[in-house]
Amino acid sequence: MSVVFDQLSRTFSEFLLLPNLTSVDCTPDKVQLDSPMVRFKKEEESPLRLNIPFTSAIMQAVSDDKMAIALARNGGLSFIYGSQPVERQAEMVHRVKSYKAGFVPSDSNLTPDHTLADILDLKEQTGHSTVAITDDGSPDGKLLGLVTSRDYRISRLSTDTKIRDFMTPMDQIIYAEAGVSLTEANDIIWEHKLNQLPVIDKDGHLLALVFRKDYDDHKENPLELLDSHKRLLCGAGINTRDYKERVPALVEAGADVLCMDSSDGFSEWQRDCLAWIHKNYGSSVYVGAGNVVDAEGFNYLAEAGADFIKIGIGGGSICITREQKGIGCGQASAVMAVAKARDAWLEKTGEYIPICSDGGIVYDYHMALALAMGADFLMFGRYFARFDEAPGRLISLKGSYVKEYWGEGSNRARNWQRYDAGGKGGRMAFEEGVDSYVPYAGPLKENVRASLAKIKATMVSCGSISIPEFQRKARLVVVSPTSIVEGGAHDVIRKENELR
């Protein structure tokens, strides 16, 4: 006979937080939103932490290299989608890891025999205004000079002019030698009022460039999520089909953490994938698993070696898994059940395995609820799909701007490796996601800042300045349908915002 659980399957909208005493020292500016991302032993620190508890979903419509760069610069992390050829996904990871490294390998290089026309073509291709001039045009050739936008005026110089005739030659360039620290390099930049500083070896070969703008950008983005080499952190999605080819390529490209992409992670396929990765890479490669909705699923993946575990089946705005297959659980109930299992695992083993709430977020206050219920960090699809940095096209629809947003379980994504049940057909038998639009919301930075401000305000009202403290102190109440109506604007005629 089937087992029927007594408790209801609840969503975030069915809960509110009761306020706790807010002390005079508990203010939004003191709230810390950093959070562990991968498993660690009790009394130790997680070897990988997020500066804000936000990650972007493993979706074609959400997480490409552009999104990964923008989110990492604001303290979160993207998992670049895996429903694409291995080589293309690895190249996206590489672009993120190369975007900002402190010491940046030069990817705009020409020889003195090239022309101004070549400079202009290269600038159009890369968007970079600094071109290193080396003896062989390679990024590690002998440095002979630099060309920046200050070295030429298009209206005054023929495009046939050789670079050697207008470049800044080496005898006029301030440079640093191999072994210089990033701090020392930045000091040289500021002392000499430079925009870039080449770093060369003892034979004069170019090793890297250090840019003033990277220093300035970091000051403007203090929460940037960086590795030990000052490169942006980047995640990548994998599946349980081609992981033996995909994982090595992603590791080689520099991915900091991987995550298995599945609507249902309680499977032997995920166990086998984790076992293969641990056998071949030991503990040097971090891998998240999921999705699960209960203690049984959590414990299975914890024992299999998952570094973090993702929660949620059918709660995403474009996901129709519950409609199609009749499986899943309300996201709030799932998060609380898995958080309880996580805490029991910690008590039993002395290991803390972070959990990620994936899906079910409709309003910003749901983010705070998910964290209060036990999630260490959150994963969003629809939320990020609305922003400039998301891959979806911006379209004018009935007088409003929208962005395209489609699920990995939709025919458009054709992600059969995520949803196929083991057949050899190489196609999905039915859809588990839809193709849709979401209202355009503008740049990521402004929206994330607003969402974080709301989370901090909620935590302060609950007397907390860290996520662990928030989880310890949180008091939740179940709300009735009538009180949900009462919680919004009601019984008034709302004015239109004349400033819009």
Side-chain angles (χ1 to χ4, degrees):
M1 179 178 174
S2 300
V3 176
V4 179
F5 292 91
D6 293 331
Q7 67 269 29
L8 291 175
S9 169
R10 296 191 182 276
T11 68
F12 293 128
S13 290
E14 296 178 76
F15 291 90
L16 287 174
L17 284 155
L18 297 178
N20 294 325
L21 175 66
T22 302
S23 69
V24 294
D25 295 323
C26 186
T27 55
D29 60 298
K30 295 181 181 177
V31 173
Q32 299 295 315
L33 292 176
D34 59 302
S35 187
M37 190 169 192
V38 298
R39 74 161 69 196
F40 59 98
K41 292 183 179 179
K42 192 175 182 179
E43 309 301 336
E44 295 183 359
E45 282 286 328
S46 174
L48 189 62
R49 296 182 66 86
L50 295 164
N51 289 334
I52 64 171
F54 288 6
T55 61
S56 66
I58 311 169
M59 300 175 68
Q60 293 176 9
V62 180
S63 297
D64 63 358
D65 51 304
K66 185 177 179 182
M67 175 61 70
I69 289 169
L71 184 51
R73 297 190 70 201
N74 285 276
L77 183 138
S78 289
F79 288 93
I80 291 178
Y81 70 93
S83 53
Q84 60 177 319
V86 174
E87 296 78 14
R88 191 164 66 188
Q89 186 187 21
E91 177 57 30
M92 285 188 181
V93 171
H94 175 72
R95 285 200 289 268
V96 178
K97 299 303 293 184
S98 299
Y99 176 78
K100 183 182 185 303
F103 295 98
V104 182
S106 178
D107 59 1
S108 294
N109 311 282
L110 293 171
T111 70
D113 291 324
H114 282 92
T115 66
L116 176 58
D118 296 315
I119 290 284
L120 299 177
D121 287 343
L122 188 59
K123 183 177 180 180
E124 184 176 353
Q125 293 172 24
T126 65
H128 299 159
S129 58
T130 297
V131 179
I133 309 305
T134 59
D135 59 346
D136 59 2
S138 71
D140 54 2
K142 188 171 183 178
L143 185 63
L144 302 179
L146 289 176
V147 173
T148 71
S149 56
R150 294 185 299 180
D151 289 309
Y152 58 88
R153 291 178 65 182
I154 299 175
S155 61
R156 301 286 183 88
L157 199 62
S158 169
T159 55
D160 295 330
T161 306
K162 297 287 188 183
I163 288 176
R164 67 173 71 256
D165 295 329
F166 61 89
M167 72 180 187
T168 301
M170 275 301 291
D171 60 7
Q172 298 178 27
I173 292 175
I174 295 173
Y175 59 87
E177 296 183 348
V180 66
S181 70
L182 186 59
T183 299
E184 291 169 338
N186 281 319
D187 286 343
I188 295 171
I189 286 174
W190 282 96
E191 180 183 352
H192 295 279
K193 300 180 180 180
L194 306 173
N195 287 325
Q196 63 281 314
L197 178 73
V199 180
I200 62 175
D201 65 16
K202 59 183 179 61
D203 297 318
H205 291 273
L206 180 61
L207 298 176
L209 294 166
V210 180
F211 292 93
R212 173 192 287 264
K213 68 178 180 64
D214 285 348
Y215 178 88
D216 293 339
D217 284 350
H218 181 62
K219 292 300 181 183
E220 294 175 4
N221 298 279
L223 293 176
E224 274 187 324
L225 195 61
L226 305 174
D227 64 19
S228 59
H229 300 291
K230 305 298 183 182
R231 300 175 300 182
L232 297 175
L233 262 61
C234 181
I238 61 173
N239 60 67
T240 57
R241 291 303 188 93
D242 66 2
Y243 57 87
K244 293 181 182 179
E245 294 76 38
R246 193 171 293 270
V247 170
L250 296 173
V251 172
E252 177 67 23
D256 297 283
V257 57
L258 307 176
C259 184
M260 279 184 276
D261 182 26
S262 175
S263 61
D264 174 15
F266 193 0
S267 73
E268 292 184 347
W269 292 311
Q270 292 218 358
R271 178 203 63 190
D272 294 345
C273 179
L274 287 166
W276 184 88
I277 292 173
H278 291 317
K279 178 181 177 181
N280 287 275
Y281 294 95
S283 59
S284 65
V285 174
Y286 303 122
V287 190
N291 286 16
V292 299
V293 293
D294 59 12
E296 287 78 5
F298 171 88
N299 289 328
Y300 184 83
L301 294 178
E303 290 170 1
D307 289 299
F308 68 86
I309 294 173
K310 206 143 60 79
I311 308 162
I313 295 178
S317 59
I318 43 69
C319 184
I320 54 173
T321 294
R322 296 181 197 174
E323 291 181 9
Q324 296 283 57
K325 295 167 64 176
I327 66 167
C329 181
Q331 190 68 5
S333 295
V335 170
M336 288 187 285
V338 175
K340 184 176 180 180
R342 186 264 322 276
D343 294 342
W345 179 273
L346 173 64
E347 185 68 24
K348 174 184 174 183
T349 68
E351 276 190 323
Y352 189 93
I353 303 178
I355 55 177
C356 169
S357 177
D358 174 19
I361 300 293
V362 180
Y363 305 109
D364 281 0
Y365 83 89
H366 289 172
M367 300 175 186
L369 283 170
L371 295 171
M373 291 173 179
D376 295 285
F377 59 99
L378 315 173
M379 179 173 281
F380 307 129
R382 180 195 62 85
Y383 177 80
F384 286 119
R386 303 172 302 145
F387 302 154
D388 288 325
E389 295 82 359
R393 290 187 303 160
L394 181 63
I395 296 171
S396 177
L397 183 67
K398 296 181 180 179
S400 299
Y401 283 106
V402 297
K403 291 205 73 171
E404 293 179 313
Y405 180 44
W406 61 98
E408 288 297 291
S410 68
N411 281 328
R412 176 171 180 175
R414 299 184 184 279
N415 191 358
W416 67 270
Q417 289 180 315
R418 185 183 201 265
Y419 291 92
D420 181 59
K424 298 181 180 180
R427 60 183 179 84
M428 298 188 301
F430 56 89
E431 288 187 291
E432 291 188 46
V434 300
D435 196 347
S436 64
Y437 301 109
V438 287
Y440 170 62
L444 176 145
K445 188 180 184 72
E446 295 176 8
N447 284 278
V448 166
R449 182 188 291 127
S451 296
L452 294 176
K454 294 176 188 178
I455 293 173
K456 289 180 178 181
T458 300
M459 291 173 63
V460 166
S461 290
C462 293
S464 307
I465 59 172
S466 71
I467 292 174
E469 183 182 20
F470 188 34
Q471 292 170 346
R472 289 194 305 270
K473 291 183 175 180
R475 297 185 300 153
L476 295 157
V477 62
V478 178
V479 297
S480 69
T482 305
S483 65
I484 293 174
V485 174
E486 180 186 63
H490 58 91
D491 302 314
V492 295
I493 300 173
R494 299 187 67 171
K495 296 180 180 179
E496 292 294 327
N497 188 342
E498 296 180 358
L499 296 179
R500 291 187 176 178

